[in-house]
Structure formats: structure tokens, C-alpha cells
Amino acid sequence: MLATLHSFDNRAQADVTEEGFQTMAQKPDEKAENGNEATNGNGTAQQQTLNILAQYVKDLSFESPGAPLSLRPRENAPGISINVNVNANPIAENDFDVVLTLSAKASEGKDVLFNAELVYGGVFRLVGFPQEHLLPLLFIECPRLLFPFARQIVAEATRNGGFPPLMIDPIDFAQMFQQRMAEEQAKAKVS
């Protein structure tokens, strides 16, 4: 998996490898010798690029069913459960809609203090990548790029609801992807 993220001035490029490290690549006017190019149908080289075309909030929900009583000070921190899901769908030949869903529920015993859900999406254009690299890009790199924005929206929603901002810890999307692939392989063996 290799994605090239172009800077705004297009003078230098950062290569993102499977290990997640960034290295500086040569300038676009130099010949590519690092395997960053794929050939298109007519044999000419095609640069591998991953571009974010749009980002959007598809759904945002915040509920505090016990307010204002749920806002009172507490001696112990409430239990917070967080669920994360990633989906991707093609919308054009090289364009994909990647949707990151974050759900957070804070409770104290049987009482729900708040329930927040965000469905945050992005439209990504992936050009020049081999077919076998598309799934890791769509389910690891794309949500990794969306996550900081989604995290900020959830933090602001909980703060605006009268609670301390919920700062979700960074998510290992590579591990999530590996678990998902392992589950699908196990289902295929059962079938």
C-alpha cells in the first residue's frame, strides 16, 4: 500500500507506506524510481494519488435524556462505551465514499447520561493503485484521515451538551481492518 499526498504548492510529496511512516519523495519533475507509479492501459506511467474531494457530516445526534439532573457533579467518572465502524462504497470509477461512524454512550449504573452518534463521510479519489491495495487504503488510510475531524465534532457535541468534551483516543484502523478480514475469512470457511 502506497499513497502519495501532494502538498498545496506541489513542490514535494510525502509517501505514506504500510508501516505509516512518512518519507520525502523526489520532486514531481524528477524521474520516479521508487515504485510510486503504475502503468495505465496504454503503457504510460500513472502517478498513484489519494485525494480528498469532500468531507461531510451525514448524521449527528446527541441525547441527554436525564438533563439537567445528569449534569450534576459526580464523585466517580461515568462508564463510557465507544463503537467505531467504517464502510466504503464506490461512487465512480476512481471515487469512493468512505463513512466513519462513531457512537459514544456515557452511563452511570442504569442511567444514560448522554448518547452521541456521528456519521462522518469523505469522498476520496484513488488513482493508479493496484486492485489489491484498494481495500487497505479505503479501510485504513481514508478513515485515518477523517478521524481527527470526526473526533473534534464529537468533542464539541458533548461539550455543548454540558459535559466535559469527550476526546476519543486515536484508533488503530489497521488492526480494525485485520480483525474484519479475519472475521470474513472465518465466515467463508464456515460456508
Side-chain angles (χ1 to χ4, degrees):
M1 168 183 55
L2 184 64
T4 302
L5 303 175
H6 296 281
S7 62
F8 285 109
D9 61 4
N10 238 3
R11 283 189 225 148
Q13 304 164 350
D15 292 333
V16 181
T17 63
E18 287 184 58
E19 295 81 25
F21 299 109
Q22 291 188 354
T23 57
M24 292 308 292
Q26 70 250 15
K27 295 179 182 174
D29 57 337
E30 296 176 8
K31 297 266 185 203
E33 296 176 5
N34 60 4
N36 247 11
E37 293 184 353
T39 58
N40 58 19
N42 60 12
T44 60
Q46 182 180 23
Q47 184 69 29
Q48 295 175 336
T49 59
L50 177 128
N51 298 312
I52 303 173
L53 303 180
Q55 294 184 77
Y56 61 92
V57 173
K58 189 168 190 169
D59 185 28
L60 175 60
S61 171
F62 181 85
E63 300 170 1
S64 181
L69 296 176
S70 60
L71 300 175
R72 65 178 164 66
R74 297 183 160 59
E75 288 187 25
N76 297 322
I80 298 177
S81 64
I82 298 173
N83 292 313
V84 180
N85 192 23
V86 177
N87 285 309
N89 294 300
I91 55 176
E93 182 181 350
N94 294 319
D95 297 348
F96 298 87
D97 181 36
V98 178
V99 177
L100 174 62
T101 303
L102 299 175
S103 300
K105 183 177 182 179
S107 56
E108 186 176 60
K110 294 181 181 179
D111 297 330
V112 174
L113 303 178
F114 70 78
N115 194 2
E117 183 176 1
L118 171 65
V119 180
Y120 191 74
V123 178
F124 292 85
R125 179 166 292 154
L126 284 74
V127 178
F129 292 98
Q131 189 68 28
E132 64 270 13
H133 293 175
L134 288 183
L135 283 180
L137 284 169
L138 292 171
F139 287 92
I140 299 171
E141 291 302 318
C142 293
R144 185 184 63 78
L145 294 170
L146 293 175
F147 177 73
F149 301 99
R151 178 183 191 228
Q152 184 64 34
I153 293 168
V154 170
E156 289 177 6
T158 55
R159 181 182 48 111
N160 291 339
F163 296 93
L166 177 61
M167 300 303 288
I168 299 172
D169 289 337
I171 297 168
D172 187 351
F173 291 104
Q175 181 184 16
M176 279 182 57
F177 177 72
Q178 290 169 352
Q179 287 176 343
R180 190 173 189 171
M181 295 305 289
E183 289 171 6
E184 289 185 19
Q185 287 175 354
K187 286 179 186 176
K189 287 181 182 178
V190 171
S191 298

